[in-house]
Amino acid sequence: MKILVSGAAGYIGSHTVISLLENGYEVVGFDNFYNSSPKAVQRVKEISGKDFPFYEADMLDKEALHQIFKAHPDIYAVIHFAGLKAVGESVQKPILYYHDNLTGTLNLVQVMEEAGCCNIIFSSSATVYGDPKEIPITENCPKGICTNPYGWTKWMQEQMLIDLQKASPEWNVILLRYFNPIGAHKSGEIGEKPQGIPNNLVPFLTQVAVGKRPKLYIYGTDYDTPDGTCIRDYIHILDLAQGHVEALRYLDQKEGGHTVINLGSGKGYSVFDIINTFEGIMGSEIPKEIADRRKGDIPISLADITKAKKLLGWEPKYTLEEMCRDSWKWQQKYPEGFNK
Ligand code: NAD
């Protein structure tokens, strides 16, 4: 079965391509390398020991997408990772974000429809829940108010796909809402390269640990949580990648409609849990300072993953220790990510 992976050179895309290849899928990938490097594609081929067609192509270039489908008329489904994801940059450059994420997705689904491929798995985010009405968060929790343009693009991309599916029942749509993927491939040869100043705890922390940033800021220790810091649901990137393989199997069985599925570990870890685990692995202290709360941070974000377990038969298996160890291995090997 042939799968087109958009954003295949990115953090989640590259790990998912390996899982797909390991599970016997044929992969076609594309990326415009806005936030990634051809080296990641090379590494994926080396790690998996398999070659696959890869195109340097931009979703905003509809003709380029047409050419991919023309070369591969047998694409069964698209796993759609491509897009911009840096929260801070989205606040500075909202139109860039709306254009890339929304126009890009519109182009992609139009080309898919013309090619007769109506199966899509979309990378959404827990950010669409806004300030959630319930913890742990189930998929029934209503979508909320996003705090930045990036979040709104995910919210709107979801809505576009839901409306498309309602109007055209031949579409089979899965919306995967990721919580906080961290970690890297066990080889340490691929991992996450955040754009600019990382907004998330783990990329920031690992950059402090390798000396790229002077200290880590802990934003608020007066939340209503056991140690006063925010709690998040972290999931190992390898568990997340495997979740896509299971989602494809499920997509193949189900008959149309759209299905929303949370992918997290279902376990909550505080800022101090993460720092302590990292310090234990590194055997040294991370320079840190307690700062005021950050606007827009919610105290707890935690996934209810009952639906993923039930529908996908999927279960995350990696521990927090492994997530931190693998993030650290990648960061040490490639403190700057890949130079393009
Ligand atoms: P990433 O930046 O590593 O990967 C995205 C890839 O898309 C990059 O390689 C980038 O070059 C490519 N891209 C961007 N615009 C493109 C365009 N116009 N045409 C072709 N390629 C383009 O990000 P990631 O962490 O792998 O995230 C993948 C998806 O998952 C994104 O849609 C993101 O919003 C979503 N997501 C990520 C997280 C997370 O914490 N990493 C959480 C929730 C959702």
Side-chain angles (χ1 to χ4, degrees), residues 58-109:
D58 194 315
M59 291 188 292
L60 298 176
D61 178 358
K62 216 169 160 186
E63 186 47 36
L65 300 182
H66 271 302
Q67 291 305 324
I68 295 174
F69 276 92
K70 216 169 140 190
H72 304 277
D74 52 343
I75 290 170
Y76 169 75
V78 176
I79 306 185
H80 179 27
F81 295 107
L84 304 182
K85 66 156 185 182
V87 169
E89 189 185 45
S90 81
V91 176
Q92 305 297 323
K93 301 174 185 170
I95 300 308
L96 177 76
Y97 271 65
Y98 284 113
H99 187 42
D100 198 71
N101 291 0
L102 300 185
T103 314
T105 300
L106 283 172
N107 281 348
L108 180 65
V109 294

Side-chain angles (χ1 to χ4, degrees), residues 59-185:
M59 291 188 292
L60 298 176
D61 178 358
K62 216 169 160 186
E63 186 47 36
L65 300 182
H66 271 302
Q67 291 305 324
I68 295 174
F69 276 92
K70 216 169 140 190
H72 304 277
D74 52 343
I75 290 170
Y76 169 75
V78 176
I79 306 185
H80 179 27
F81 295 107
L84 304 182
K85 66 156 185 182
V87 169
E89 189 185 45
S90 81
V91 176
Q92 305 297 323
K93 301 174 185 170
I95 300 308
L96 177 76
Y97 271 65
Y98 284 113
H99 187 42
D100 198 71
N101 291 0
L102 300 185
T103 314
T105 300
L106 283 172
N107 281 348
L108 180 65
V109 294
Q110 283 169 357
V111 171
M112 286 174 69
E113 200 153 44
E114 282 164 36
C117 172
C118 296
N119 296 325
I120 188 164
I121 295 177
F122 173 64
S123 295
S124 189
S125 165
T127 196
V128 302
Y129 290 116
D131 191 353
K133 302 282 168 287
E134 56 182 31
I135 297 288
I137 307 170
T138 70
E139 293 82 353
N140 293 330
C141 180
K143 282 161 77 176
I145 304 289
C146 297
T147 50
N148 54 73
Y150 164 70
W152 282 119
T153 67
K154 292 282 126 183
W155 202 107
M156 292 176 196
Q157 281 167 293
E158 279 200 2
Q159 197 58 44
M160 272 164 35
L161 293 172
I162 292 168
D163 289 341
L164 167 67
Q165 200 289 321
K166 269 192 209 151
S168 309
E170 66 275 20
W171 277 85
N172 199 349
V173 175
I174 294 182
L175 307 174
L176 296 178
R177 291 184 181 156
Y178 312 147
F179 280 66
N180 294 275
I182 60 171
H185 191 264

